[in-house]
């Protein structure tokens, strides 16, 4: 069932938003926390909840934890 759901979402053009290691983008990500890290401030360290977009339109922003 999971595979069928993923295939159906892919057919509709729904794709997951890239998060870990990316620079925080308020139009695509929602910061839910900050942690100390060895990365540059604003770099995404963890994903709390996946986000999705269709084309250039965000359906649900990804909830992320960023570096302080």
């Amino acid at each position: 069932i999971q595979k069928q759901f993923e295939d159906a979402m892919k057919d509709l053009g729904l794709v997951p938003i890239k998060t870990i290691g990316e620079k925080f983008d308020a139009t695509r990500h929602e910061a839910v926390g900050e942690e100390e890290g060895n990365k540059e401030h604003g770099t995404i360290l963890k994903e709390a909840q996946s986000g999705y977009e269709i084309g250039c339109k965000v359906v649900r922003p990804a909830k992320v934890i960023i570096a302080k």
Side-chain angles (χ1 to χ4, degrees):
I1 292 175
Q2 177 72 26
K3 176 73 170 127
Q4 289 175 337
F5 178 75
E6 289 172 0
D7 289 343
M9 294 298 104
K10 187 176 179 181
D11 290 343
L12 292 172
L14 189 71
V15 294
I17 296 173
K18 294 180 183 175
T19 55
I20 298 175
E22 299 286 318
K23 192 74 173 159
F24 177 78
D25 177 357
T27 62
R28 301 172 70 220
H29 307 116
E30 179 182 339
V32 294
E34 288 184 319
E35 288 185 0
E36 293 292 334
N38 58 352
K39 302 283 185 182
E40 181 183 342
H41 174 71
T43 301
I44 298 171
L45 300 175
K46 297 178 184 175
E47 180 181 279
Q49 184 180 45
S50 299
Y52 298 93
E53 59 189 354
I54 295 177
C56 294
K57 182 162 175 82
V58 175
V59 176
R60 179 175 78 179
K63 294 184 180 182
V64 297
I65 298 171
I66 59 173
K68 279 188 179 182

